[in-house]
Every structure is written in C-alpha cells, then in structure tokens.
C-alpha cells in the first residue's frame, strides 16, 4: 500500500530530502570558502587597473549630452584617499610600464643636477645637499609619440584642472643616497617674493619601482611633528613607496588659496635601486606649456 503525506509528498520523497539538503549545503560552503580564497591578496601579485576605462552604451552608466569641450563617454580612474591633512590621493596603475619606460628613455640623454628655487638670502652654495637628484624638463608637445600627452590628459581628468594649467613634466632620477629634504611646492611670497601665479597641486607619476628607500614622505601628516623642532632630514610621518605606474596627487593650497603648511613633503634617500619619477606641477593660472 502506498503511503501519502500531506501536501502530496510521497514516502520516497521523504527519504531523499535530507540527501538533497546535504548536497546543497556542501556546494554552498564550497563556493563560499572558494570565493574567500580567491578574494585574498596573493604575495607578489599586484592588480593593475586599466590606463583609462571608458563606458560605452552597454555599460550601466549612460553618457549624457555634453558641451563642446566635454566628452561623449564616462571615464573611470581608480583612486585611494591617503590623507585629508594634507589632501593626498593615490592612483594605482595610472600609467603602463611601457609608458613609464618611454618617459625614462626620453629623459636619460638630458639629465642635469636638479636645482632649487632660492629664498631670499639663499645661494646655490649654501643650499647644497638639500636636493641631490638629476632631472630634466619635458613638455608634452616635445614628445612626438603622444605618450606624455596621454598622461597629461589623464592627470587633467584626475585633478579636474585643465592641461593648460600644468608646467612641463620634471623627470627626476634619484640614485643611491640621493634625496630631497622636506619642502613646500607652493612659493610663500614672504620668502620668495611676489608670485604671478601659484602652484595649487603636484602630481607625481612613479616611473620605476624602488627596492628600498625613496619614499615620498609627509612629516606633518595630520598635524604631527609640527611643534617638536622637526629635523627636516628624517623620513617620518606618512610615507608613500614608489611603484611603477602609480600616481600620487597632493594639494599645496587650501581652497581659499592660502598655503597648506601640512603639505610639507620630501623624498627619502634611495637605499637600494633607482627612483624615477615624473612630476607635474599645476598652477592657479594658465602656463605657457
């Protein structure tokens, strides 16, 4: 005689139900733990974002009608806020390895000892040792391959400041022991005299990895070390390790135009390897470049 349960379940169904539930549980936990393993960082492997992501019609974000100087697409540039005091933002995978190597190759033939903008009373002699790198200036218009133009355009998108406000790229090489003591990129008129325009922000594109040392450091991060007789030669505070293709943006001025004293920064000495970096200084007025 067949036994029938309420709701139309047969005896055979009652026997198979625990097996089905057990199988489902096994597949669920296998998928759960598998996804956890896949989401973990793998030592030695660094995810790289695309040089510039644009969303087409099939993307979840649809482009809207734009002005004459706008874009017909939606772009995405990944970033991480490192600090609000100073305002420092990190851009992983901002440029490709090929682009970085191209810029290094262009700069190598014209490197000269880096110089300083001198304060009142300073001379090249009494400022020796503050900045010991080698460098050269290259504008995007000088690069016939268009590589610097692509990078410059992306910097404009990341900063929301037009390309016309940027100085030429300062390509720098730091060898073992070379450094740049802490300084501000903005020019205090009381120290440097009247300024026709002021540096709003700085964008550093790291062109190479550095095995050890060479960090960009902000000793006054979040107001620390400001009242202890800080030694400008020490590499303390917030430190950013150079990684090829990554970018670092920080602001020298507050929105009201005054200098952010906490934007003091420097380059720690290279201990092992070489440091190559392309610096783009951005001003509050259009430049000749």
């Amino acid at each position: 005689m067949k036994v029938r349960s309420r709701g139309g379940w047969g005896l055979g169904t009652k026997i198979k139900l625990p097996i089905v539930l057990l199988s489902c549980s096994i597949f669920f936990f296998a998928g759960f733990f598998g996804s956890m393993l896949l989401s973990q960082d793998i030592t030695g492997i660094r995810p790289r974002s695309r040089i510039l992501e644009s969303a087409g019609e099939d993307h979840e974000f649809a482009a809207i009608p734009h002005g004459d100087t706008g874009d017909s697409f939606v772009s995405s540039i990944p970033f991480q806020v490192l600090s609000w005091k100073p305002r420092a933002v990190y851009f992983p995978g901002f440029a490709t390895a090929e682009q970085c190597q191209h810029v290094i190759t262009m700069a190598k033939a014209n490197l000269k000892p880096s110089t300083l903008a001198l304060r009142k009373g300073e001379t090249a002699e009494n400022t020796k040792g503050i900045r010991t790198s080698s460098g050269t200036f290259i504008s995007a218009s000088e690069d016939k391959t268009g590589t610097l133009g692509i990078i410059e355009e992306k910097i404009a998108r990341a900063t929301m400041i037009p390309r016309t406000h940027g100085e030429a790229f300062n390509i720098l090489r730091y060898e073992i022991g070379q450094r740049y003591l802490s300084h501000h990129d903005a020019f205090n008129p009381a120290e440097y005299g009247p300024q026709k325009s002021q540096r709003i922000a700085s964008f550093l594109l790291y062109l190479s990895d550095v095995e050890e040392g060479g960090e960009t450091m902000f000793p006054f991060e979040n107001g620390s070390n400001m009242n202890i007789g800080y030694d400008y030669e020490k590499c303390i505070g917030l430190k950013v390790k150079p990684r090829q293709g990554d970018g670092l943006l920080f602001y020298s001025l507050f929105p009201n135009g005054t200098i952010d004293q906490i934007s003091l920064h420097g380059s720690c000495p290279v201990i092992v390897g070489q440091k190559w970096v392309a610096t783009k200084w951005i001003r509050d007025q259009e430049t000749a470049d």
Side-chain angles (χ1 to χ4, degrees):
M1 183 177 78
K2 291 183 179 181
V3 179
R4 195 172 184 85
S5 64
R6 293 180 181 177
W9 290 94
L11 179 62
T13 305
K14 286 185 177 181
I15 296 172
K16 292 180 181 179
L17 183 59
I19 299 175
V20 172
L21 292 174
L22 178 61
S23 299
C24 291
S25 299
I26 291 172
F27 282 113
F28 171 79
F29 284 110
F32 175 74
F33 287 111
S35 64
M36 288 182 63
L37 290 173
L38 289 173
S39 68
Q40 300 298 311
D41 291 335
I42 302 175
T43 302
I45 298 178
R46 184 175 64 199
R48 310 296 290 184
S49 60
R50 292 167 56 189
I51 183 64
L52 179 62
E53 296 181 0
S54 60
E57 294 181 357
D58 59 340
H59 197 278
E60 60 178 318
F61 300 110
I64 64 173
H66 57 89
D68 292 339
T69 59
D71 297 326
S72 61
F73 57 88
V74 175
S75 61
S76 174
I77 304 176
F79 68 90
Q80 175 189 356
V81 175
L82 297 183
S83 169
W84 285 107
K85 298 180 180 181
R87 288 173 294 158
V89 184
Y90 196 73
F91 294 86
F94 195 83
T96 66
E98 293 75 19
Q99 289 172 322
C100 292
Q101 189 56 51
H102 172 72
V103 177
I104 291 174
T105 300
M106 280 196 303
K108 277 185 176 179
N110 298 305
L111 292 177
K112 296 178 181 179
S114 299
T115 58
L116 291 171
L118 300 176
R119 298 181 179 90
K120 296 175 182 178
E122 289 183 334
T123 66
E125 186 63 30
N126 64 25
T127 56
K128 279 185 177 179
I130 292 178
R131 190 184 193 189
T132 56
S133 59
S134 298
T136 187
F137 284 89
I138 307 177
S139 66
S141 61
E142 295 177 87
D143 180 12
K144 303 308 178 185
T145 69
T147 300
L148 282 180
I150 292 172
I151 295 171
E152 190 174 75
E153 176 62 31
K154 191 172 182 183
I155 291 174
R157 294 176 187 278
T159 60
M160 291 292 128
I161 302 174
R163 293 174 63 176
T164 51
H165 286 246
E167 299 180 31
F169 286 94
N170 188 199
I171 315 301
L172 299 168
R173 181 190 67 188
Y174 292 84
E175 298 184 290
I176 292 176
Q178 293 186 331
R179 64 186 183 180
Y180 194 177
L181 298 187
S182 299
H183 61 282
H184 292 98
D185 282 351
F187 299 107
N188 186 345
E191 298 176 324
Y192 294 94
Q195 302 293 307
K196 292 182 178 180
S197 70
Q198 189 60 276
R199 286 174 176 170
I200 299 174
S202 302
F203 193 99
L204 277 57
L205 174 63
Y206 297 113
L207 302 174
S208 68
D209 292 328
V210 181
E211 292 182 53
E212 186 176 357
E215 299 92 346
T216 303
M217 54 99 171
F218 298 88
F220 289 171
E221 194 269 330
N222 202 32
S224 61
N225 304 318
M226 295 189 73
N227 301 310
I228 61 172
Y230 171 65
D231 183 346
Y232 283 70
E233 297 193 15
K234 290 182 179 178
C235 284
I236 58 176
L238 173 64
K239 293 193 286 188
V240 182
K241 184 175 178 61
R243 302 195 312 181
Q244 185 183 59
D246 291 357
L248 173 65
L249 167 68
F250 59 92
Y251 291 86
S252 298
L253 303 184
F254 289 117
N256 65 3
T258 60
I259 296 175
D260 180 4
Q261 297 301 322
I262 295 179
S263 69
L264 186 84
H265 63 283
S267 180
C268 298
V270 172
I271 298 173
V272 180
Q274 276 190 351
K275 174 183 177 179
W276 284 88
V277 60
T279 300
K280 171 67 72 172
W281 288 301
I282 304 166
R283 290 185 172 264
D284 58 0
Q285 296 183 30
E286 292 189 355
T287 65
D289 295 313

